[in-house]
Amino acid sequence: MKKSLIVLVGLFFVVASSFLNIDVASAQGQVTVLGVWGGSEEEAFIEMIRPFEEETGIEVLYEGTRDLPTVLTTRIEAGNPPDIVHLTGPGLLMDLLRRDAAVDLRDVLDMDTFTAEYDETWLDLARGDDDGIYGVFISADLKSLIWYSPPRFEEYGYEVPETWDELMELSDQMVADGGRPWSIGLESGAASGWPGTDWIEDILLRTAGPEVYDQWIFHEIPWTAPEIREAFELFGQIARDPNYVYGGPVAVLTMDFGDAADPLFTDPPRAFMHRQASFITSFIEDRHPDLVPGEDFDFFPFPPINPEHGNPMMGAADMMTMTNDTPEARALIEYLASAEAQEIWVGKLGKLGVNTEIDPAAYPDDLTRRMAATLHDAPEFRFDASDSMPAAVGSGAFWEGILNYVGGDDLDQVLEYIESVAQETY
Amino acid sequence: MESRNLFMRMLMHAVIIIMVLIWVVPTLGILISSIRPASDVLNTGWWTVFKSPLEVTQFTVENYESIIERAGMGTAFRNSVIIASVGTLLPVTTAAFAAFGFSRLNFWGKRFLFGIIIGLIVVPLQMTFIPVLRVYHQVGLSGTFLGVWLAHTAYGLPFAVFMLHNFFSALPRDLFEAAYIDGASLLSVFFRIALPLSVPALASLIIFQFLWVWNDLLVSLIYLGGTRDVAPLTVRLASLVGSYGQDWHLLTAAAFISIVVPVVVFIGLQKYFVRGILAGSVKS
C-alpha cells in the first residue's frame, strides 16, 4: 500500500520535472489579445492574424474567455492589461475610458485612410468624450432581421410584409390558416432574456425613433416612459399570446435561442417567422446541414412601424481597443482596421464587414452578402441598447424584466423594477 | 421480524440504486452525446439512441477526432499535468510539515498562528485576485507555472494543515514518547512514525487537492491566462465553445477526456480514501 503511494508520488515528480524547463514568455516582439471568441471563431481570428505574423514577425498571443469583463477588470486593476482587447459593446468601452485604460487611436492610425474607409456611424460609436477614437470595428452582426422559409411562404401563399401592419395582418392570416406565426426562444443560460431585449430595441427604434432610443440608453428618459411601455406592449402582444407564438409563453421562456429557428423547418412548419440576428445562420446550418442559405431559409428586414422614423437598423459589432501602447500593438491594430484582414475574418465566419473597402466577394454566400448590403444601406444604425447600457441594467435587470413580463408579470411592476435598478446604477 | 429486515434491506438497496442512477445518468448522457454526430446532438436528445441501440452507424468518433486535431489540446493536457502535479504535492508536503509542528511542538504563539491559518479557510479566494496579481505582475510571476503553483499552494494550505493537524493529534502520544526515549530526533520521528502512519490521510488529501487543482478554471484563468502555451485543459475546454454557445457538442468529448485523469487518480487512491475521510474525526 505504502509502496504504491510512493511510486505514485515519484511518478508525479518525474512527470513534473520533465516539464520544468519551460520558457517564460518574453514580451519581445509579442502582442497579447484578449477576446470572447472560442471554437471556430478563435480559429478564424488566428487565420486572420496569420498574414500579419508572417509579414512582421510579431507573435500574436490570443486568449479567449467568455468571462471577458471579469478577467479584463482584474487584469487592469492589477496593472497587467492585455495589449489589445476585443469589446462587445460601447458599454464596455465606457468602462475602460472611466478607468483611463484605452489608447486614443488618432495618434496610431492614419486618420485620412481610416475616416475614408469607415462610415461616420462606426467612428461615432468608438468616440470618447474628448473626441478621441478608442476602437476599431472589425465586423458587425445585424439584428433587425426576420427569418423565414421561402418554400413554405410560397406553399401557403404568403407575401413578405413591408410594414408592421402588413406583418401583423400576415400573422393573423397564419393563425386563421391554423398555424403559428412566430417562434421565439429566450433561454440562453445565465444570459437568458437577451433575445427579448432585441425585440424591444427593434420596436422602440421604429415607434419612437433613434433619438428617444439614445435617450433611453443614457437613461435620460425613465423606463416607465410611455414610449418604452408601448414597445413592451407590442412585444407582449406577440410573445404572450399562445395563438401567435409556438408553444405559448412557456416555450418562449424555456426554448434555447439556438433552437428557436428549428420550428420553421419542421414538416408541417410549427412556426413561420423568427426574429434573430445575422449570426443565427450558423446555428441553422449546424442543425440542418441540408438547407441551402438564401433558398431554404432567408430573411426580410424588420419592417418600419411609424413611417416618420423610417427603418433604422439595429445590431452589434466587434470592437478592438488598444489598452497598451506598444509598437507591436500599434502594428496589429492598424492591420485589424484594414479591409485585407477583415475579408479573411468575415469570409470565415459569415459576419458582416464594416470597412467599406471590403470586397463583397469575400463573403461566404449570397445571403451574407445581402445582409451586409442591408447593413450598409441602412439610413440609420444603432448599436444594441442592452450592450450599450451599464451591465447592471443592460445585462441584468433588462433581461430579468423580459423574462418576468413574458412569464405574465404586470408590465408596470416590471418597468418600475428596471427603473429602480437604473436609478441606482447610472 | 425476519421479513421486516428483508424489506428494510430491499428499501435501502432501492434508495442506493436510485441515488447512483441520479448521479450516473448525466455522465452517461455526456458519454453518449460525445459519440453522436453534431447534427444529431443538436436535434434530438441523447436518450433517443436507446430506440435502436444496436445501430452502430448512429455513433461516430468525429467529435474526439476534431478535438485531438484542434491545435493546443495536447499542450493543454500537458499543462494540466504540470499544474496539478506540483499544485498538489507542494501544498500537501508543506502542510504535512506545518501540521506536524502545530500538533507535536510547543512554541510561542502556536495557538494564535494556528488560529490564523484555520481562519483563512473561510476567506473567499476571489478577494485575493487583484492584490496577488498586482504583486505577481511586479515580480514577474504572472503567466508562469510557478505563480499558479504558489497560488494553489496558498489556497490549499489552510484546509490541508487543518486536516493533517487533526490526524497527527489523534496519533497516540505514547508512540512518540517511546521513540524519543529510544533517541529518535524530531525529524526521524516525523519521517519514520508520523508520515507512515498517516498514509490514508495523505492519500485522501492528495485526492482532494488534485481534483480541486485539476478542475480549477478560475485560478488558472486569472494568474496564468488563456494563451495556448500555458492554458490548462479547463481553460481550453471553456474556449471550445463559441461566444454564443455554438459547437457545444465538442464539449462532451472534451469533457470526457478531462474526466479520465481524475478517475484514474481516484481509483488508484480509492482504498485509502474511505479511511482518510475519517482522518482526525475521532480522538481516542
Side-chain angles (χ1 to χ4, degrees), chain A residues 1 38-39 41-43 63 75 77 79 287, chain B residues 43 70 134 137 221 225-226 228 236 239 243 272:
Chain A
M1 271 198 297
E41 300 160 326
E42 180 179 340
E43 276 164 20
E63 191 182 337
R75 298 255 170 95
E77 285 295 315
R287 282 165 173 72
Chain B
N43 286 320
R70 207 167 279 244
R134 214 174 260 182
H137 181 53
L221 191 62
R228 290 189 171 185
R236 288 298 302 161
S239 65
S243 53
Y272 305 105

mmCIF file with all atom_site columns, all heavy atoms in Angstrom, chain A residues 1 38-39 41-43 63 75 77 79 287, chain B residues 43 70 134 137 221 225-226 228 236 239 243 272:
data_model
loop_
_atom_site.group_PDB
_atom_site.id
_atom_site.type_symbol
_atom_site.label_atom_id
_atom_site.label_alt_id
_atom_site.label_comp_id
_atom_site.label_asym_id
_atom_site.label_entity_id
_atom_site.label_seq_id
_atom_site.pdbx_PDB_ins_code
_atom_site.Cartn_x
_atom_site.Cartn_y
_atom_site.Cartn_z
_atom_site.occupancy
_atom_site.B_iso_or_equiv
_atom_site.pdbx_formal_charge
_atom_site.auth_seq_id
_atom_site.auth_comp_id
_atom_site.auth_asym_id
_atom_site.auth_atom_id
_atom_site.pdbx_PDB_model_num
ATOM 1   N N   . MET A 1 1   ? 0.848   -1.206 0.000   1.00 0.00 ? 1   MET A N   1
ATOM 2   C CA  . MET A 1 1   ? 0.000   0.000  0.000   1.00 0.00 ? 1   MET A CA  1
ATOM 3   C C   . MET A 1 1   ? 0.870   1.237  0.000   1.00 0.00 ? 1   MET A C   1
ATOM 4   O O   . MET A 1 1   ? 0.741   2.130  -0.803  1.00 0.00 ? 1   MET A O   1
ATOM 5   C CB  . MET A 1 1   ? -0.885  -0.004 1.235   1.00 0.00 ? 1   MET A CB  1
ATOM 6   C CG  . MET A 1 1   ? -2.197  -0.716 0.990   1.00 0.00 ? 1   MET A CG  1
ATOM 7   S SD  . MET A 1 1   ? -3.399  -0.288 2.229   1.00 0.00 ? 1   MET A SD  1
ATOM 8   C CE  . MET A 1 1   ? -2.630  -0.922 3.693   1.00 0.00 ? 1   MET A CE  1
ATOM 9   N N   . GLY A 1 38  ? -14.304 31.808 -29.061 1.00 0.00 ? 38  GLY A N   1
ATOM 10  C CA  . GLY A 1 38  ? -13.810 30.457 -28.849 1.00 0.00 ? 38  GLY A CA  1
ATOM 11  C C   . GLY A 1 38  ? -14.192 29.605 -30.041 1.00 0.00 ? 38  GLY A C   1
ATOM 12  O O   . GLY A 1 38  ? -14.901 30.062 -30.939 1.00 0.00 ? 38  GLY A O   1
ATOM 13  N N   . GLY A 1 39  ? -13.725 28.382 -30.039 1.00 0.00 ? 39  GLY A N   1
ATOM 14  C CA  . GLY A 1 39  ? -14.094 27.436 -31.082 1.00 0.00 ? 39  GLY A CA  1
ATOM 15  C C   . GLY A 1 39  ? -13.759 27.936 -32.467 1.00 0.00 ? 39  GLY A C   1
ATOM 16  O O   . GLY A 1 39  ? -12.648 28.406 -32.713 1.00 0.00 ? 39  GLY A O   1
ATOM 17  N N   . GLU A 1 41  ? -14.681 30.531 -33.969 1.00 0.00 ? 41  GLU A N   1
ATOM 18  C CA  . GLU A 1 41  ? -14.371 31.962 -34.003 1.00 0.00 ? 41  GLU A CA  1
ATOM 19  C C   . GLU A 1 41  ? -12.896 32.190 -33.706 1.00 0.00 ? 41  GLU A C   1
ATOM 20  O O   . GLU A 1 41  ? -12.227 33.007 -34.353 1.00 0.00 ? 41  GLU A O   1
ATOM 21  C CB  . GLU A 1 41  ? -15.212 32.705 -32.959 1.00 0.00 ? 41  GLU A CB  1
ATOM 22  C CG  . GLU A 1 41  ? -16.699 32.576 -33.171 1.00 0.00 ? 41  GLU A CG  1
ATOM 23  C CD  . GLU A 1 41  ? -17.481 32.884 -31.910 1.00 0.00 ? 41  GLU A CD  1
ATOM 24  O OE1 . GLU A 1 41  ? -17.004 32.576 -30.814 1.00 0.00 ? 41  GLU A OE1 1
ATOM 25  O OE2 . GLU A 1 41  ? -18.582 33.441 -32.031 1.00 0.00 ? 41  GLU A OE2 1
ATOM 26  N N   . GLU A 1 42  ? -12.395 31.447 -32.709 1.00 0.00 ? 42  GLU A N   1
ATOM 27  C CA  . GLU A 1 42  ? -10.980 31.586 -32.359 1.00 0.00 ? 42  GLU A CA  1
ATOM 28  C C   . GLU A 1 42  ? -10.103 31.171 -33.536 1.00 0.00 ? 42  GLU A C   1
ATOM 29  O O   . GLU A 1 42  ? -9.110  31.823 -33.843 1.00 0.00 ? 42  GLU A O   1
ATOM 30  C CB  . GLU A 1 42  ? -10.679 30.717 -31.130 1.00 0.00 ? 42  GLU A CB  1
ATOM 31  C CG  . GLU A 1 42  ? -9.237  30.804 -30.691 1.00 0.00 ? 42  GLU A CG  1
ATOM 32  C CD  . GLU A 1 42  ? -8.933  29.963 -29.459 1.00 0.00 ? 42  GLU A CD  1
ATOM 33  O OE1 . GLU A 1 42  ? -9.888  29.626 -28.730 1.00 0.00 ? 42  GLU A OE1 1
ATOM 34  O OE2 . GLU A 1 42  ? -7.764  29.658 -29.243 1.00 0.00 ? 42  GLU A OE2 1
ATOM 35  N N   . GLU A 1 43  ? -10.518 30.090 -34.208 1.00 0.00 ? 43  GLU A N   1
ATOM 36  C CA  . GLU A 1 43  ? -9.733  29.646 -35.360 1.00 0.00 ? 43  GLU A CA  1
ATOM 37  C C   . GLU A 1 43  ? -9.730  30.691 -36.460 1.00 0.00 ? 43  GLU A C   1
ATOM 38  O O   . GLU A 1 43  ? -8.707  30.927 -37.105 1.00 0.00 ? 43  GLU A O   1
ATOM 39  C CB  . GLU A 1 43  ? -10.284 28.317 -35.883 1.00 0.00 ? 43  GLU A CB  1
ATOM 40  C CG  . GLU A 1 43  ? -9.719  27.160 -35.099 1.00 0.00 ? 43  GLU A CG  1
ATOM 41  C CD  . GLU A 1 43  ? -10.512 25.874 -35.296 1.00 0.00 ? 43  GLU A CD  1
ATOM 42  O OE1 . GLU A 1 43  ? -11.252 25.772 -36.303 1.00 0.00 ? 43  GLU A OE1 1
ATOM 43  O OE2 . GLU A 1 43  ? -10.390 24.994 -34.438 1.00 0.00 ? 43  GLU A OE2 1
ATOM 44  N N   . GLU A 1 63  ? -6.002  35.125 -26.412 1.00 0.00 ? 63  GLU A N   1
ATOM 45  C CA  . GLU A 1 63  ? -6.569  34.487 -25.240 1.00 0.00 ? 63  GLU A CA  1
ATOM 46  C C   . GLU A 1 63  ? -8.071  34.714 -25.283 1.00 0.00 ? 63  GLU A C   1
ATOM 47  O O   . GLU A 1 63  ? -8.517  35.861 -25.330 1.00 0.00 ? 63  GLU A O   1
ATOM 48  C CB  . GLU A 1 63  ? -5.943  35.155 -24.021 1.00 0.00 ? 63  GLU A CB  1
ATOM 49  C CG  . GLU A 1 63  ? -6.223  34.461 -22.759 1.00 0.00 ? 63  GLU A CG  1
ATOM 50  C CD  . GLU A 1 63  ? -5.613  35.206 -21.578 1.00 0.00 ? 63  GLU A CD  1
ATOM 51  O OE1 . GLU A 1 63  ? -4.661  35.976 -21.765 1.00 0.00 ? 63  GLU A OE1 1
ATOM 52  O OE2 . GLU A 1 63  ? -6.126  35.002 -20.479 1.00 0.00 ? 63  GLU A OE2 1
ATOM 53  N N   . ARG A 1 75  ? -7.332  42.171 -14.584 1.00 0.00 ? 75  ARG A N   1
ATOM 54  C CA  . ARG A 1 75  ? -6.000  42.427 -15.133 1.00 0.00 ? 75  ARG A CA  1
ATOM 55  C C   . ARG A 1 75  ? -5.668  43.909 -15.120 1.00 0.00 ? 75  ARG A C   1
ATOM 56  O O   . ARG A 1 75  ? -4.546  44.300 -14.821 1.00 0.00 ? 75  ARG A O   1
ATOM 57  C CB  . ARG A 1 75  ? -5.916  41.926 -16.578 1.00 0.00 ? 75  ARG A CB  1
ATOM 58  C CG  . ARG A 1 75  ? -6.125  40.461 -16.730 1.00 0.00 ? 75  ARG A CG  1
ATOM 59  C CD  . ARG A 1 75  ? -4.821  39.717 -16.995 1.00 0.00 ? 75  ARG A CD  1
ATOM 60  N NE  . ARG A 1 75  ? -5.058  38.288 -16.902 1.00 0.00 ? 75  ARG A NE  1
ATOM 61  C CZ  . ARG A 1 75  ? -5.328  37.520 -17.950 1.00 0.00 ? 75  ARG A CZ  1
ATOM 62  N NH1 . ARG A 1 75  ? -5.337  38.033 -19.151 1.00 0.00 ? 75  ARG A NH1 1
ATOM 63  N NH2 . ARG A 1 75  ? -5.551  36.232 -17.788 1.00 0.00 ? 75  ARG A NH2 1
ATOM 64  N N   . GLU A 1 77  ? -6.908  46.229 -13.096 1.00 0.00 ? 77  GLU A N   1
ATOM 65  C CA  . GLU A 1 77  ? -6.693  46.638 -11.710 1.00 0.00 ? 77  GLU A CA  1
ATOM 66  C C   . GLU A 1 77  ? -5.321  46.197 -11.217 1.00 0.00 ? 77  GLU A C   1
ATOM 67  O O   . GLU A 1 77  ? -4.691  46.869 -10.409 1.00 0.00 ? 77  GLU A O   1
ATOM 68  C CB  . GLU A 1 77  ? -7.772  46.032 -10.804 1.00 0.00 ? 77  GLU A CB  1
ATOM 69  C CG  . GLU A 1 77  ? -9.126  46.698 -10.917 1.00 0.00 ? 77  GLU A CG  1
ATOM 70  C CD  . GLU A 1 77  ? -9.090  48.140 -10.443 1.00 0.00 ? 77  GLU A CD  1
ATOM 71  O OE1 . GLU A 1 77  ? -8.487  48.387 -9.385  1.00 0.00 ? 77  GLU A OE1 1
ATOM 72  O OE2 . GLU A 1 77  ? -9.640  49.013 -11.130 1.00 0.00 ? 77  GLU A OE2 1
ATOM 73  N N   . GLY A 1 79  ? -2.734  46.030 -12.970 1.00 0.00 ? 79  GLY A N   1
ATOM 74  C CA  . GLY A 1 79  ? -1.682  46.671 -13.752 1.00 0.00 ? 79  GLY A CA  1
ATOM 75  C C   . GLY A 1 79  ? -1.089  45.773 -14.812 1.00 0.00 ? 79  GLY A C   1
ATOM 76  O O   . GLY A 1 79  ? 0.035   45.949 -15.241 1.00 0.00 ? 79  GLY A O   1
ATOM 77  N N   . ARG A 1 287 ? -27.566 22.812 -37.524 1.00 0.00 ? 287 ARG A N   1
ATOM 78  C CA  . ARG A 1 287 ? -28.653 21.895 -37.192 1.00 0.00 ? 287 ARG A CA  1
ATOM 79  C C   . ARG A 1 287 ? -29.262 21.239 -38.417 1.00 0.00 ? 287 ARG A C   1
ATOM 80  O O   . ARG A 1 287 ? -29.752 20.120 -38.350 1.00 0.00 ? 287 ARG A O   1
ATOM 81  C CB  . ARG A 1 287 ? -29.734 22.648 -36.422 1.00 0.00 ? 287 ARG A CB  1
ATOM 82  C CG  . ARG A 1 287 ? -29.382 22.874 -34.978 1.00 0.00 ? 287 ARG A CG  1
ATOM 83  C CD  . ARG A 1 287 ? -30.287 23.923 -34.366 1.00 0.00 ? 287 ARG A CD  1
ATOM 84  N NE  . ARG A 1 287 ? -30.069 24.034 -32.937 1.00 0.00 ? 287 ARG A NE  1
ATOM 85  C CZ  . ARG A 1 287 ? -28.997 24.578 -32.375 1.00 0.00 ? 287 ARG A CZ  1
ATOM 86  N NH1 . ARG A 1 287 ? -28.037 25.048 -33.137 1.00 0.00 ? 287 ARG A NH1 1
ATOM 87  N NH2 . ARG A 1 287 ? -28.864 24.635 -31.076 1.00 0.00 ? 287 ARG A NH2 1
ATOM 88  N N   . ASN B 2 43  ? -30.227 18.123 -32.621 1.00 0.00 ? 43  ASN B N   1
ATOM 89  C CA  . ASN B 2 43  ? -31.631 17.963 -32.973 1.00 0.00 ? 43  ASN B CA  1
ATOM 90  C C   . ASN B 2 43  ? -32.434 17.073 -32.024 1.00 0.00 ? 43  ASN B C   1
ATOM 91  O O   . ASN B 2 43  ? -33.605 17.323 -31.798 1.00 0.00 ? 43  ASN B O   1
ATOM 92  C CB  . ASN B 2 43  ? -31.764 17.420 -34.401 1.00 0.00 ? 43  ASN B CB  1
ATOM 93  C CG  . ASN B 2 43  ? -31.445 18.485 -35.429 1.00 0.00 ? 43  ASN B CG  1
ATOM 94  O OD1 . ASN B 2 43  ? -31.827 19.641 -35.255 1.00 0.00 ? 43  ASN B OD1 1
ATOM 95  N ND2 . ASN B 2 43  ? -30.732 18.125 -36.471 1.00 0.00 ? 43  ASN B ND2 1
ATOM 96  N N   . ARG B 2 70  ? -7.541  19.585 -33.172 1.00 0.00 ? 70  ARG B N   1
ATOM 97  C CA  . ARG B 2 70  ? -7.518  21.008 -32.863 1.00 0.00 ? 70  ARG B CA  1
ATOM 98  C C   . ARG B 2 70  ? -6.219  21.383 -32.144 1.00 0.00 ? 70  ARG B C   1
ATOM 99  O O   . ARG B 2 70  ? -5.845  20.742 -31.170 1.00 0.00 ? 70  ARG B O   1
ATOM 100 C CB  . ARG B 2 70  ? -8.706  21.331 -31.954 1.00 0.00 ? 70  ARG B CB  1
ATOM 101 C CG  . ARG B 2 70  ? -9.179  22.734 -32.055 1.00 0.00 ? 70  ARG B CG  1
ATOM 102 C CD  . ARG B 2 70  ? -10.503 22.812 -31.371 1.00 0.00 ? 70  ARG B CD  1
ATOM 103 N NE  . ARG B 2 70  ? -11.555 22.340 -32.280 1.00 0.00 ? 70  ARG B NE  1
ATOM 104 C CZ  . ARG B 2 70  ? -12.524 23.132 -32.708 1.00 0.00 ? 70  ARG B CZ  1
ATOM 105 N NH1 . ARG B 2 70  ? -12.584 24.354 -32.315 1.00 0.00 ? 70  ARG B NH1 1
ATOM 106 N NH2 . ARG B 2 70  ? -13.438 22.660 -33.518 1.00 0.00 ? 70  ARG B NH2 1
ATOM 107 N N   . ARG B 2 134 ? -1.324  41.838 -8.649  1.00 0.00 ? 134 ARG B N   1
ATOM 108 C CA  . ARG B 2 134 ? -0.504  43.045 -8.685  1.00 0.00 ? 134 ARG B CA  1
ATOM 109 C C   . ARG B 2 134 ? 0.943   42.714 -8.271  1.00 0.00 ? 134 ARG B C   1
ATOM 110 O O   . ARG B 2 134 ? 1.894   43.117 -8.925  1.00 0.00 ? 134 ARG B O   1
ATOM 111 C CB  . ARG B 2 134 ? -1.110  44.067 -7.718  1.00 0.00 ? 134 ARG B CB  1
ATOM 112 C CG  . ARG B 2 134 ? -0.948  45.485 -8.197  1.00 0.00 ? 134 ARG B CG  1
ATOM 113 C CD  . ARG B 2 134 ? -1.684  46.431 -7.297  1.00 0.00 ? 134 ARG B CD  1
ATOM 114 N NE  . ARG B 2 134 ? -2.966  46.812 -7.859  1.00 0.00 ? 134 ARG B NE  1
ATOM 115 C CZ  . ARG B 2 134 ? -3.787  47.672 -7.268  1.00 0.00 ? 134 ARG B CZ  1
ATOM 116 N NH1 . ARG B 2 134 ? -3.482  48.211 -6.114  1.00 0.00 ? 134 ARG B NH1 1
ATOM 117 N NH2 . ARG B 2 134 ? -4.932  47.998 -7.850  1.00 0.00 ? 134 ARG B NH2 1
ATOM 118 N N   . HIS B 2 137 ? 2.589   40.571 -10.931 1.00 0.00 ? 137 HIS B N   1
ATOM 119 C CA  . HIS B 2 137 ? 2.994   41.336 -12.104 1.00 0.00 ? 137 HIS B CA  1
ATOM 120 C C   . HIS B 2 137 ? 4.320   42.031 -11.844 1.00 0.00 ? 137 HIS B C   1
ATOM 121 O O   . HIS B 2 137 ? 5.195   42.089 -12.709 1.00 0.00 ? 137 HIS B O   1
ATOM 122 C CB  . HIS B 2 137 ? 1.914   42.359 -12.443 1.00 0.00 ? 137 HIS B CB  1
ATOM 123 C CG  . HIS B 2 137 ? 2.224   43.170 -13.649 1.00 0.00 ? 137 HIS B CG  1
ATOM 124 N ND1 . HIS B 2 137 ? 2.549   42.604 -14.860 1.00 0.00 ? 137 HIS B ND1 1
ATOM 125 C CD2 . HIS B 2 137 ? 2.283   44.509 -13.840 1.00 0.00 ? 137 HIS B CD2 1
ATOM 126 C CE1 . HIS B 2 137 ? 2.785   43.550 -15.731 1.00 0.00 ? 137 HIS B CE1 1
ATOM 127 N NE2 . HIS B 2 137 ? 2.643   44.716 -15.140 1.00 0.00 ? 137 HIS B NE2 1
ATOM 128 N N   . LEU B 2 221 ? -7.222  30.888 -15.005 1.00 0.00 ? 221 LEU B N   1
ATOM 129 C CA  . LEU B 2 221 ? -7.623  31.941 -15.941 1.00 0.00 ? 221 LEU B CA  1
ATOM 130 C C   . LEU B 2 221 ? -7.065  33.285 -15.492 1.00 0.00 ? 221 LEU B C   1
ATOM 131 O O   . LEU B 2 221 ? -6.609  34.091 -16.289 1.00 0.00 ? 221 LEU B O   1
ATOM 132 C CB  . LEU B 2 221 ? -9.153  31.992 -16.004 1.00 0.00 ? 221 LEU B CB  1
ATOM 133 C CG  . LEU B 2 221 ? -9.764  32.850 -17.102 1.00 0.00 ? 221 LEU B CG  1
ATOM 134 C CD1 . LEU B 2 221 ? -9.358  32.329 -18.453 1.00 0.00 ? 221 LEU B CD1 1
ATOM 135 C CD2 . LEU B 2 221 ? -11.271 32.841 -16.980 1.00 0.00 ? 221 LEU B CD2 1
ATOM 136 N N   . GLY B 2 225 ? -3.699  32.891 -17.419 1.00 0.00 ? 225 GLY B N   1
ATOM 137 C CA  . GLY B 2 225 ? -4.204  33.386 -18.692 1.00 0.00 ? 225 GLY B CA  1
ATOM 138 C C   . GLY B 2 225 ? -4.489  32.254 -19.642 1.00 0.00 ? 225 GLY B C   1
ATOM 139 O O   . GLY B 2 225 ? -4.117  31.105 -19.399 1.00 0.00 ? 225 GLY B O   1
ATOM 140 N N   . GLY B 2 226 ? -5.171  32.573 -20.742 1.00 0.00 ? 226 GLY B N   1
ATOM 141 C CA  . GLY B 2 226 ? -5.626  31.519 -21.638 1.00 0.00 ? 226 GLY B CA  1
ATOM 142 C C   . GLY B 2 226 ? -4.785  31.334 -22.877 1.00 0.00 ? 226 GLY B C   1
ATOM 143 O O   . GLY B 2 226 ? -5.228  30.712 -23.824 1.00 0.00 ? 226 GLY B O   1
ATOM 144 N N   . ARG B 2 228 ? -2.211  29.763 -25.443 1.00 0.00 ? 228 ARG B N   1
ATOM 145 C CA  . ARG B 2 228 ? -2.102  28.325 -25.669 1.00 0.00 ? 228 ARG B CA  1
ATOM 146 C C   . ARG B 2 228 ? -0.903  27.686 -24.984 1.00 0.00 ? 228 ARG B C   1
ATOM 147 O O   . ARG B 2 228 ? -0.955  26.520 -24.627 1.00 0.00 ? 228 ARG B O   1
ATOM 148 C CB  . ARG B 2 228 ? -2.055  28.044 -27.164 1.00 0.00 ? 228 ARG B CB  1
ATOM 149 C CG  . ARG B 2 228 ? -3.393  28.312 -27.794 1.00 0.00 ? 228 ARG B CG  1
ATOM 150 C CD  . ARG B 2 228 ? -3.438  27.842 -29.210 1.00 0.00 ? 228 ARG B CD  1
ATOM 151 N NE  . ARG B 2 228 ? -4.821  27.943 -29.692 1.00 0.00 ? 228 ARG B NE  1
ATOM 152 C CZ  . ARG B 2 228 ? -5.207  27.525 -30.866 1.00 0.00 ? 228 ARG B CZ  1
ATOM 153 N NH1 . ARG B 2 228 ? -4.344  26.993 -31.687 1.00 0.00 ? 228 ARG B NH1 1
ATOM 154 N NH2 . ARG B 2 228 ? -6.463  27.642 -31.227 1.00 0.00 ? 228 ARG B NH2 1
ATOM 155 N N   . ARG B 2 236 ? -8.881  25.646 -21.935 1.00 0.00 ? 236 ARG B N   1
ATOM 156 C CA  . ARG B 2 236 ? -9.064  25.338 -23.354 1.00 0.00 ? 236 ARG B CA  1
ATOM 157 C C   . ARG B 2 236 ? -10.480 24.814 -23.599 1.00 0.00 ? 236 ARG B C   1
ATOM 158 O O   . ARG B 2 236 ? -11.108 25.119 -24.607 1.00 0.00 ? 236 ARG B O   1
ATOM 159 C CB  . ARG B 2 236 ? -8.057  24.287 -23.826 1.00 0.00 ? 236 ARG B CB  1
ATOM 160 C CG  . ARG B 2 236 ? -6.648  24.774 -23.940 1.00 0.00 ? 236 ARG B CG  1
ATOM 161 C CD  . ARG B 2 236 ? -6.467  25.886 -24.934 1.00 0.00 ? 236 ARG B CD  1
ATOM 162 N NE  . ARG B 2 236 ? -6.899  25.540 -26.276 1.00 0.00 ? 236 ARG B NE  1
ATOM 163 C CZ  . ARG B 2 236 ? -7.176  26.435 -27.214 1.00 0.00 ? 236 ARG B CZ  1
ATOM 164 N NH1 . ARG B 2 236 ? -7.091  27.718 -26.944 1.00 0.00 ? 236 ARG B NH1 1
ATOM 165 N NH2 . ARG B 2 236 ? -7.562  26.051 -28.403 1.00 0.00 ? 236 ARG B NH2 1
ATOM 166 N N   . SER B 2 239 ? -12.930 27.453 -23.937 1.00 0.00 ? 239 SER B N   1
ATOM 167 C CA  . SER B 2 239 ? -12.861 28.246 -25.168 1.00 0.00 ? 239 SER B CA  1
ATOM 168 C C   . SER B 2 239 ? -13.152 27.413 -26.410 1.00 0.00 ? 239 SER B C   1
ATOM 169 O O   . SER B 2 239 ? -13.000 27.884 -27.521 1.00 0.00 ? 239 SER B O   1
ATOM 170 C CB  . SER B 2 239 ? -11.502 28.931 -25.282 1.00 0.00 ? 239 SER B CB  1
ATOM 171 O OG  . SER B 2 239 ? -10.498 27.980 -25.424 1.00 0.00 ? 239 SER B OG  1
ATOM 172 N N   . SER B 2 243 ? -18.744 32.258 -28.811 1.00 0.00 ? 243 SER B N   1
ATOM 173 C CA  . SER B 2 243 ? -19.224 33.285 -27.888 1.00 0.00 ? 243 SER B CA  1
ATOM 174 C C   . SER B 2 243 ? -20.746 33.239 -27.731 1.00 0.00 ? 243 SER B C   1
ATOM 175 O O   . SER B 2 243 ? -21.286 33.801 -26.795 1.00 0.00 ? 243 SER B O   1
ATOM 176 C CB  . SER B 2 243 ? -18.778 34.659 -28.362 1.00 0.00 ? 243 SER B CB  1
ATOM 177 O OG  . SER B 2 243 ? -19.145 34.864 -29.695 1.00 0.00 ? 243 SER B OG  1
ATOM 178 N N   . TYR B 2 272 ? -7.446  4.150  0.021   1.00 0.00 ? 272 TYR B N   1
ATOM 179 C CA  . TYR B 2 272 ? -7.073  4.977  1.165   1.00 0.00 ? 272 TYR B CA  1
ATOM 180 C C   . TYR B 2 272 ? -8.170  5.965  1.508   1.00 0.00 ? 272 TYR B C   1
ATOM 181 O O   . TYR B 2 272 ? -8.191  6.557  2.556   1.00 0.00 ? 272 TYR B O   1
ATOM 182 C CB  . TYR B 2 272 ? -5.815  5.793  0.857   1.00 0.00 ? 272 TYR B CB  1
ATOM 183 C CG  . TYR B 2 272 ? -4.655  4.963  0.414   1.00 0.00 ? 272 TYR B CG  1
ATOM 184 C CD1 . TYR B 2 272 ? -4.264  4.938  -0.913  1.00 0.00 ? 272 TYR B CD1 1
ATOM 185 C CD2 . TYR B 2 272 ? -3.946  4.197  1.339   1.00 0.00 ? 272 TYR B CD2 1
ATOM 186 C CE1 . TYR B 2 272 ? -3.191  4.175  -1.320  1.00 0.00 ? 272 TYR B CE1 1
ATOM 187 C CE2 . TYR B 2 272 ? -2.874  3.432  0.939   1.00 0.00 ? 272 TYR B CE2 1
ATOM 188 C CZ  . TYR B 2 272 ? -2.505  3.432  -0.397  1.00 0.00 ? 272 TYR B CZ  1
ATOM 189 O OH  . TYR B 2 272 ? -1.447  2.673  -0.786  1.00 0.00 ? 272 TYR B OH  1
#
